[in-house]
Amino acid sequence: QVQLVESGGGLVQAGGSLRISCVASGRSTVSLYAMGWFRQAPGKEREFVAAIMWNHSITRYSDSVKGRFTISRDNAKKTVYLQMNNLKLEDTAVYYCGAKVAKTADFGSWGQGTQVTVSS
């Protein structure tokens, strides 16, 4: 079991930057395979944003954030970050952190989410 706690969301103007964090805890953190960020805007389904492998420097991004967002991790702190630059109005959403404990597993163990609101 992995418990995830997101933080760092807030209100930012379009074009601004924000960094959100997700701390993992629990016995299953020893077998983490990857961590990812997803987001859900009002009235929309949750969508993939970015992911990073836990023991390799391999990342993946959605086309909508590529070049603007950067995912990183600190294994010692069991923390994954999402640096968001050049934020757009359409980035407004609740951002969730998910954990993948095996290559064939789906992302899960969702945290409570952190709200990111981009204003004009």
Side-chain angles (χ1 to χ4, degrees):
Q1 190 78 7
V2 177
Q3 290 80 46
L4 303 172
V5 178
E6 302 96 334
S7 63
L11 176 65
V12 62
Q13 284 192 322
S17 298
L18 199 63
R19 189 178 81 157
I20 56 178
S21 304
C22 172
V23 180
S25 63
R27 291 192 298 176
S28 294
T29 56
V30 297
S31 59
L32 279 173
Y33 178 81
M35 296 280 285
W37 286 101
F38 294 72
R39 66 187 181 187
Q40 187 167 19
K44 295 187 177 181
E45 293 188 353
R46 188 176 297 180
E47 64 172 358
F48 170 79
V49 175
I52 186 167
M53 293 186 68
W54 200 246
N55 293 309
H56 300 282
S57 298
I58 297 174
T59 58
R60 187 162 61 95
Y61 297 92
S62 69
D63 288 342
S64 61
V65 306
K66 201 173 293 182
R68 299 188 298 121
F69 290 11
T70 302
I71 188 170
S72 61
R73 53 166 168 72
D74 184 327
N75 290 37
K77 295 182 179 179
K78 296 182 181 177
T79 301
V80 63
Y81 305 97
L82 187 68
Q83 176 67 43
M84 303 180 289
N85 298 330
N86 190 22
L87 282 160
K88 303 177 180 180
L89 296 178
E90 52 265 40
D91 294 319
T92 295
V94 178
Y95 284 70
Y96 295 92
C97 179
K100 195 174 168 76
V101 296
K103 185 176 182 178
T104 55
D106 293 325
F107 280 99
S109 300
W110 306 104
Q112 83 290 348
T114 187
Q115 176 71 47
V116 173
T117 303
V118 184
S119 65
S120 58

